[in-house]
Amino acid sequence: MIPRGKVASYGTVARLSGFPHQPRMAGYALHHLPPGSGIPWHRVINAQGKVSLPGAGGDEQRRLLEREGIVFIRGKIDMKKFGWKRRL
């Protein structure tokens, strides 16, 4: 699970799930999570370090990430600083 204060790209989630060339599949799965699932969907962003949800969903995602201490600069997250590095 992606820890609090860190983010991962859809591509990273897909790769770790065994579907290395299917980032859209990861996004689809996250989009269809049931309410209250406990999965930290808001910690998954696009490869450019941006929130990719439209409208209010993106606003909510940004708010949740900022609450965890993640900083946006010109709409982007510094992946070197906030990107999750999974330890094996």
Side-chain angles (χ1 to χ4, degrees):
M1 189 177 310
I2 305 164
R4 182 178 177 82
K6 295 292 182 181
V7 295
S9 70
Y10 291 100
T12 297
V13 171
R15 183 175 46 79
L16 293 172
S17 299
F19 300 96
H21 304 292
Q22 300 293 325
R24 287 185 183 187
M25 185 184 293
Y28 181 82
L30 290 169
H31 177 75
H32 287 87
L33 287 171
S37 69
I39 303 293
W41 61 270
H42 63 284
R43 296 179 187 149
V44 183
I45 59 173
N46 71 25
Q48 290 76 41
K50 296 179 180 179
V51 168
S52 57
L53 295 174
D59 294 341
E60 178 184 3
Q61 184 176 14
R62 183 176 175 134
R63 189 171 45 257
L64 290 168
L65 291 171
E66 288 175 335
R67 191 180 308 160
E68 293 184 6
I70 293 174
V71 176
F72 287 78
I73 298 174
R74 288 182 225 106
K76 292 178 71 173
I77 296 168
D78 181 346
M79 292 299 283
K80 288 182 181 177
K81 183 173 183 178
F82 296 107
W84 176 54
K85 306 287 191 267
R86 180 173 178 243
R87 295 183 187 169
L88 300 175

